[in-house]
Amino acid sequence: MTVNTEPTPSMTSSNSMSSGYCSLDDDNEDFAFFTAKTSFFRKPGNSVKKSEAKEEEQGGVKDLPEGEVNTRIEEYNSRVSENGMKLASDGSYTGFIKVHLRLSRPVTVPALEEPVLGAPDGSLSERQDCRQGEDRTSFYLPCDCVKQLHISSTTTTREVIQGLLKKFMVLDNPRKFALYRQTHRDGQDLFQKLPLCERPLLLRLIAGPDPEQLSFVLKENETGEVEWHAFSVPELQNFLVILDKEEAERVRAVQSKYTMYKRRLQQALQQHDP
């Protein structure tokens, strides 16, 4: 998979890296936890695997007939001036997709002396001062930057997410992210989360090169529930520190409120004393 960074209004730097197709390892998090409604004890690994298997079972778009693949590739290449698709002898094909990174939360990276991403002068963009450990730090990725990926027709959504994270040395669990397809309809942007087994290049071939018909967006994996098992132990410990501080502030606010009520009641009682 080859990753190219295209400059956007919010990003002026670029990066280019490459590796073989579908050669990404599936790194799983060793620790997992129940939600705060139960406890923070270790969560059985089979529960996480069942959740992933459920996403896999959702399936994806069916393969196109061989003859239709050839026709669609020729039509696709006729509509682009560069970065067309190439058909291999085994029936697979390669091409390019662009992924918009729209992450609202910071990502975790190794705390290296030399920055991994950033401006040409070597500075990290909007880097946070907070440390999550001696060997890691966090910073915000540039807003809505675009990554161009060179992938094959067998590359899955899971591999695209893992590839993006690995190329930029992001240490966060891949399950914390999801790849969405963005389409435009009636003046509105519609987002649909892609199954982990979906093949983005097949979707690109079917939709054609027009970004108005299809765009890919990497966002946080919003499931409606907090997936605590996707966070590392230092992150969970940091959450506990934040909760302790919020609890102490709430306690002080409640104590102050009722202390004032008590003082006013005592003043009222004194006024009614004979």
Side-chain angles (χ1 to χ4, degrees):
M1 180 185 295
T2 303
V3 180
N4 297 324
T5 303
E6 290 196 354
T8 65
S10 60
M11 183 177 185
T12 57
S13 62
S14 63
N15 296 276
S16 179
M17 306 179 186
S18 63
S19 67
Y21 297 117
C22 305
S23 61
L24 305 175
D25 297 327
D26 185 6
D27 297 331
N28 294 322
E29 193 71 37
D30 291 333
F31 290 91
F33 300 86
F34 290 109
T35 65
K37 293 182 179 179
T38 53
S39 65
F40 282 99
F41 293 109
R42 186 184 179 109
K43 184 175 181 178
N46 58 354
S47 297
V48 179
K49 292 180 180 179
K50 287 181 180 180
S51 176
E52 292 181 349
K54 185 177 180 181
E55 289 193 52
E56 294 284 1
E57 291 174 358
Q58 293 178 2
V61 176
K62 294 183 179 180
D63 288 322
L64 298 174
E66 183 176 352
E68 186 175 351
V69 170
N70 295 336
T71 302
R72 284 183 177 268
I73 289 179
E74 291 177 359
E75 180 182 353
Y76 184 97
N77 291 339
S78 67
R79 298 172 58 187
V80 297
S81 57
E82 58 181 359
N83 297 335
M85 295 192 185
K86 295 181 179 180
L87 183 64
S89 58
D90 60 358
S92 64
Y93 50 94
T94 61
F96 294 84
I97 64 170
K98 294 180 180 180
V99 180
H100 297 257
L101 274 65
R102 298 176 187 170
L103 303 176
S104 58
R105 292 189 285 269
V107 296
T108 305
V109 296
L112 304 176
E113 293 184 3
E114 293 294 330
V116 179
L117 288 174
D121 60 0
S123 61
L124 284 176
S125 175
E126 301 184 34
R127 181 170 182 170
Q128 286 190 321
D129 294 331
C130 64
R131 292 270 178 172
Q132 296 186 8
E134 295 181 356
D135 59 345
R136 60 178 60 190
T137 187
S138 297
F139 72 97
Y140 287 91
L141 287 173
C143 180
D144 201 24
C145 63
V146 179
K147 311 297 180 184
Q148 183 164 265
L149 309 179
H150 188 210
I151 63 176
S152 75
S153 56
T154 60
T155 305
T156 62
T157 297
R158 180 198 296 272
E159 291 168 332
V160 169
I161 295 174
Q162 292 176 341
L164 284 169
L165 300 182
K166 282 190 174 184
K167 296 308 177 185
F168 300 112
M169 303 179 66
V170 176
L171 302 178
D172 297 289
N173 192 315
R175 286 180 54 80
K176 293 167 63 176
F177 306 90
L179 190 65
Y180 291 79
R181 61 185 300 174
Q182 177 183 357
T183 56
H184 299 272
R185 184 182 302 171
D186 299 329
Q188 295 182 340
D189 291 332
L190 305 178
F191 294 88
Q192 179 185 1
K193 181 180 174 181
L194 296 179
L196 294 177
C197 63
E198 185 61 272
R199 288 159 296 168
L201 191 61
L202 174 59
L203 297 179
R204 180 80 279 167
L205 178 61
I206 295 175
D210 187 0
E212 292 292 322
Q213 298 295 326
L214 172 67
S215 296
F216 296 105
V217 180
L218 183 71
K219 302 170 65 176
E220 282 83 5
N221 188 9
E222 303 294 350
T223 61
E225 296 182 0
V226 179
E227 295 188 3
W228 295 109
H229 60 270
F231 293 91
S232 64
V233 172
E235 287 176 320
L236 292 171
Q237 292 173 338
N238 190 41
F239 292 158
L240 290 177
V241 172
I242 295 175
L243 290 175
D244 287 339
K245 291 182 178 180
E246 291 182 353
E247 180 183 11
E249 292 176 358
R250 290 292 184 90
V251 169
R252 284 195 296 269
V254 171
Q255 288 177 339
S256 176
K257 175 181 177 181
Y258 285 96
T259 298
M260 180 185 65
Y261 286 164
K262 182 178 180 180
R263 183 169 61 250
R264 290 181 179 179
L265 286 172
Q266 290 174 341
Q267 292 174 353
L269 287 173
Q270 291 174 359
Q271 291 175 359
H272 286 82
D273 285 343

